[in-house]
Amino acid sequence: MTQESIEAKLDKLIQAVARLAPPTPPPAEFAAAEGFVWDAERGYPAPVPRVSRVEIGLIKGVDRVRDILVDNTMRFASGLPANNVLLWGARGMGKSSLVKAAHALANREGPSAGRLKLIEIHREDISTLPRLLNLLKAEPYRFILFCDDLSFDNDDTSYKSLKAALDGGVEGRPENVIFYATSNRRHLLPRDMIENERSTAINPHEAVEEKVSLSDRFGLWLGFHKCSQDEYLAMIDGYVAHYGLKVTPETLRHEALEWATTRGSRSGRVAWQFIQDLAGRLGQRISE
């Protein structure tokens, strides 16, 4: 085999290896949108032209936690100290809707309009958080990293990556980044996982502390609980007034309560589903 043929084969091998390498991600264009979704595979925050959200005034029954979250978000947008937030509790009570609404309010009425960006990161991509933080720390914007329905199952150790990212390691968490998460679990881990650690560990107390200390990284715990009938009906009334739906109060109350009964629960999500059904039957268009 000649020297030339060896070099030719090496060139082909180099080209083949180069094709296997992941493509260089495009530069992040944070001026292009208010909301983004983290594409972990490409290492790129993809812009979302229109964030799906509702007006904050339509989120009823959570006034106290709403005010706390808005205040925390406003302070962060202003460059003041603010906490990571865990919104936990009953399903369908507006946890994720409140995060997106608070972000919109801060961007609209805060001191630096349009400079606060919302980046959603999927639960399965939590292990890539350090890569995302490294990308954001030098940017002139401020970022809310948002993970919806965050929880961890048995034998899932990726929660350790989240703990390290929230603390920031040696460098510390970037000053322009904060983390908001929603979950049905206060401690993010299933009870049987915690109990198993207690029963099998040499030092049960230390094992349990390791598991529950993740939620301690969130400075604010905002609890969401099932709503009362009056709160549920107030949600319905708010939507009807906002979208101008034409229905008598007596019919509205009867149908709204019947809708909740057939679903076995009352929540903001159930109220919104009823409004979609009502608007469809009335032949009226609505937009989120």
Side-chain angles (χ1 to χ4, degrees):
M1 186 176 291
T2 65
Q3 179 71 23
E4 290 78 9
S5 63
I6 293 175
E7 290 178 353
K9 290 182 180 293
L10 286 175
D11 288 340
K12 290 182 179 179
L13 178 61
I14 291 171
Q15 292 172 6
V17 171
R19 286 194 294 270
L20 293 174
T24 302
E29 299 180 359
F30 291 116
E34 286 187 343
F36 300 80
V37 175
W38 171 239
D39 185 337
E41 185 175 344
R42 299 171 63 202
Y44 172 66
V48 177
R50 178 180 177 275
V51 178
S52 176
R53 55 166 62 109
V54 299
E55 284 294 323
I56 198 164
L58 293 175
I59 304 175
K60 306 289 186 179
V62 291
D63 294 2
R64 176 58 178 161
V65 294
R66 178 200 61 204
D67 293 345
I68 294 173
L69 183 68
V70 167
D71 181 62
N72 192 72
T73 306
M74 287 291 192
R75 282 191 279 113
F76 175 70
S78 302
L80 296 172
N83 276 303
N84 299 315
V85 183
L86 174 62
L87 300 89
W88 68 277
R91 299 187 306 273
M93 282 303 297
K95 296 186 291 294
S96 60
S97 295
L98 189 57
V99 170
K100 291 181 285 186
H103 164 253
L105 182 65
N107 248 352
R108 185 171 64 245
E109 300 181 7
S112 54
R115 307 295 294 179
L116 180 63
K117 307 298 179 179
L118 181 70
I119 302 180
E120 182 174 10
I121 180 170
H122 296 139
R123 153 69 187 86
E124 58 271 20
D125 297 327
I126 286 296
S127 60
T128 67
L129 255 179
R131 184 152 48 109
L132 176 56
L133 292 177
N134 190 59
L135 176 68
L136 301 179
K137 63 183 180 182
E139 292 290 334
Y141 301 95
R142 303 186 72 75
F143 300 93
I144 298 174
L145 301 189
F146 171 49
C147 185
D148 193 21
D149 198 20
L150 177 63
S151 62
F152 299 92
D153 298 322
N154 293 318
D155 303 321
D156 186 348
T157 60
S158 62
Y159 72 91
K160 295 183 179 180
S161 298
L162 178 56
K163 286 174 62 175
L166 292 177
D167 281 345
V170 174
E171 291 184 281
R173 175 168 52 85
E175 182 271 338
N176 64 332
V177 176
I178 202 168
F179 194 84
Y180 286 4
T182 70
S183 177
N184 295 330
R185 301 168 179 166
R186 184 172 184 175
H187 290 297
L188 303 175
L189 305 168
R191 182 177 298 276
D192 62 342
M193 183 177 179
I194 296 175
E195 293 300 328
N196 182 62
E197 291 292 338
R198 179 180 284 114
S199 63
T200 60
I202 295 176
N203 189 326
H205 178 72
E206 289 183 0
V208 173
E209 284 297 313
E210 167 71 11
K211 298 296 183 182
V212 302
S213 64
L214 171 59
S215 53
D216 289 342
R217 266 64 178 181
F218 294 89
L220 286 177
W221 293 1
L222 302 182
F224 289 69
H225 308 285
K226 293 181 179 179
C227 63
S228 66
Q229 178 173 295
D230 288 343
E231 288 171 333
Y232 168 73
L233 292 174
M235 296 173 189
I236 299 290
D237 290 339
Y239 282 127
V240 167
H242 182 77
Y243 294 113
L245 301 181
K246 307 301 182 184
V247 58
T248 65
E250 296 77 12
T251 300
L252 179 65
R253 177 184 175 87
H254 171 75
E255 293 186 355
L257 292 178
E258 182 180 29
W259 183 272
T261 300
T262 60
R263 272 132 192 90
S265 67
R266 294 186 295 262
S267 69
R269 180 178 297 136
V270 171
W272 173 245
Q273 290 167 346
F274 169 74
I275 290 298
Q276 288 181 304
D277 180 80
L278 177 63
R281 289 187 282 110
L282 293 175
Q284 293 185 238
R285 296 184 179 275
I286 59 176
S287 59
E288 295 185 18

